[in-house]
Amino acid sequence: MKWKKFRVKTVTEAEDIIISTLYDLGLEGAQIEDSVPLTAWEKEQMFVDIMPDAPADDGIAYLTFFVEEDEEGRLMVNGQEKKEEEILQEVREELDSLRVFCDIGEGSISVDETEDIDWINNWKQYFKQFTIDDILVIPSWEQVAPEDQGKMILHIDPGTAFGTGMHETTQLCIRQLKKYVTPQTELLDVGTGSGILSIIALMLGARHAVGTDLDPCAVPAVEENKEANHIAPEKFDMMIGNIIDDREVQEAVGYEAYDIVVANILAGVLVPLTPVVVNHLKPGGIYITSGILDVKEQEVRQAVEAAGLKVLEVTRQGEWVSITAQKL
């Protein structure tokens, strides 16, 4: 399938009004490109672990609108056939009308043609091999260099599930797992995603891991990463469901069964999760949390202590915090 790509050069302050105005023309689903830094709220909500380096904010924004082109080259907007020049003229007229009462910057328009975009795989251009202390994390499509053969090597391909190890929160959890995993460790990984934390724990010598997640995409991602890292199927079990309020999941996971529970999620989930998860920890068990922006540290710490856990350590990387606690 081919698409006509209409790209408007504007300023960040005018993004919303231009998107709204062109929506009325039938141009929907705008792709926004700008260099505005993410707010703390956006960082927490997105929780993106592969983020390309961005230049300093220059106030410039590009808004891209895609119009489907059929096999005969016809462009369809709101169910009506329109010619490229007709769409361009309508967009120019709307932009000119906006100039009267607001600054839209250059307001220029370019047109290009594109094939279907592989959104699922495009992120791979940003994911390259890297190290977390002495652990080499390498995607499935790259080769291990001869000089790295002696390192602990994690082969990872997150697929459509979250988790590459690049995000600060994941690295914080990995460093805590290195401190507490033993050959007897039974691990519960809440929000396992691609399975990276469970796989690292097993590579560090843990006996067994159980992962839970809400996203069904986690299942094939975990299976692929288990195979890539030669994890025996019986060493890592996976289930889909919400452990916070699903009694069947809670019972399937098991009570007072785990030496370590790790949860790399978000502060807003950790608060209701903690009083539930404490029931799955053995006495003396370790609770490792992350996904906590520094502004939410006290909120999560209070939830941890209210659940009867003793805070052992708070570690930080960038704006993110990890709280490690113990069940007394």
Side-chain angles (χ1 to χ4, degrees):
M1 185 182 296
K2 292 184 178 180
W3 303 78
K4 282 290 183 181
K5 183 169 67 174
F6 297 85
R7 194 167 188 248
V8 178
K9 183 178 181 181
T10 182
V11 293
T12 54
E13 290 82 358
E15 289 173 357
D16 290 343
I17 192 168
I18 291 177
I19 290 171
S20 176
T21 300
L22 298 189
Y23 180 88
D24 292 337
L25 294 180
L27 300 179
E28 303 175 358
Q31 174 183 299
I32 302 173
E33 302 169 65
D34 60 32
S35 300
V36 178
L38 296 176
T39 65
W41 183 87
E42 289 169 331
K43 288 178 181 177
E44 185 180 41
Q45 296 303 308
M46 291 175 68
F47 208 29
V48 176
D49 62 342
I50 303 176
M51 184 67 72
D53 294 332
D57 182 18
D58 57 5
I60 301 298
Y62 293 90
L63 307 178
T64 303
F65 302 85
F66 297 89
V67 178
E68 184 178 343
E69 186 176 358
D70 67 16
E71 294 179 356
E72 298 179 9
R74 295 176 298 186
L75 301 177
M76 305 300 293
V77 179
N78 274 347
Q80 297 182 343
E81 180 183 349
K82 290 192 176 183
K83 297 187 182 299
E84 177 184 316
E85 191 54 45
E86 183 181 359
I87 298 172
L88 271 172
Q89 183 59 33
E90 290 180 348
V91 172
R92 289 193 187 104
E93 290 175 358
E94 292 295 340
L95 293 177
D96 286 342
S97 68
L98 290 175
R99 291 182 196 276
V100 176
F101 58 88
C102 70
D103 177 17
I104 66 166
E106 185 175 307
S108 60
I109 313 165
S110 63
V111 183
D112 199 0
E113 190 173 68
T114 183
E115 300 285 348
D116 266 351
I117 300 171
D118 187 355
W119 299 108
I120 290 178
N121 289 307
N122 269 1
W123 59 269
K124 290 183 178 180
Q125 64 185 297
Y126 302 116
F127 183 25
K128 308 296 181 183
Q129 58 182 282
F130 64 99
T131 58
I132 304 172
D133 302 332
D134 58 346
I135 301 172
L136 175 66
V137 182
I138 185 166
S140 58
W141 54 90
E142 291 192 10
Q143 298 296 316
V144 178
E147 61 268 25
D148 291 326
Q149 293 291 341
K151 295 180 179 177
M152 177 181 286
I153 298 171
L154 174 69
H155 297 272
I156 197 77
D157 184 352
T160 55
F162 169 82
T164 64
M166 292 184 74
H167 200 281
E168 292 96 327
T169 61
T170 311
Q171 296 181 23
L172 286 166
C173 287
I174 289 171
R175 293 190 180 101
Q176 295 305 98
L177 287 171
K178 289 171 70 177
K179 294 178 185 178
Y180 292 102
V181 166
T182 73
Q184 289 75 44
T185 294
E186 291 283 341
L187 177 86
L188 174 61
D189 182 5
V190 180
T192 192
S194 64
I196 183 171
L197 295 178
S198 290
I199 290 170
I200 283 284
L202 292 166
M203 292 170 66
L204 290 168
R207 177 187 296 168
H208 180 256
V210 172
T212 70
D213 206 286
L214 300 178
D215 186 357
C217 290
V219 175
V222 165
E223 289 304 314
E224 289 171 9
N225 290 324
K226 282 165 60 176
E227 183 176 350
N229 291 282
H230 309 292
I231 301 297
E234 67 273 12
K235 298 279 283 186
F236 183 2
D237 295 318
M238 174 74 195
M239 62 184 72
I240 297 298
N242 191 344
I243 196 171
I244 294 176
D245 57 13
D246 189 327
R247 182 60 64 85
E248 288 187 9
V249 173
Q250 294 170 3
E251 292 179 352
V253 164
Y255 299 105
E256 293 198 344
Y258 298 93
D259 303 283
I260 298 176
V261 172
V262 62
N264 181 27
I265 312 180
L266 290 172
V269 179
L270 290 171
V271 170
L273 172 68
T274 300
V276 173
V277 142
V278 71
N279 298 312
H280 301 282
L281 270 171
K282 296 177 182 177
I286 300 296
Y287 182 41
I288 299 171
T289 69
S290 195
I292 309 162
L293 274 172
D294 49 16
V295 295
K296 299 291 186 71
E297 176 183 338
Q298 289 306 311
E299 180 181 340
V300 176
R301 183 178 184 127
Q302 289 171 5
V304 168
E305 293 175 338
L309 298 163
K310 177 185 178 182
V311 174
L312 300 179
E313 189 176 5
V314 177
T315 55
R316 298 176 173 83
Q317 186 173 340
E319 299 172 278
W320 299 93
V321 175
S322 171
I323 296 176
T324 300
Q326 186 174 32
K327 182 176 179 177
L328 300 177

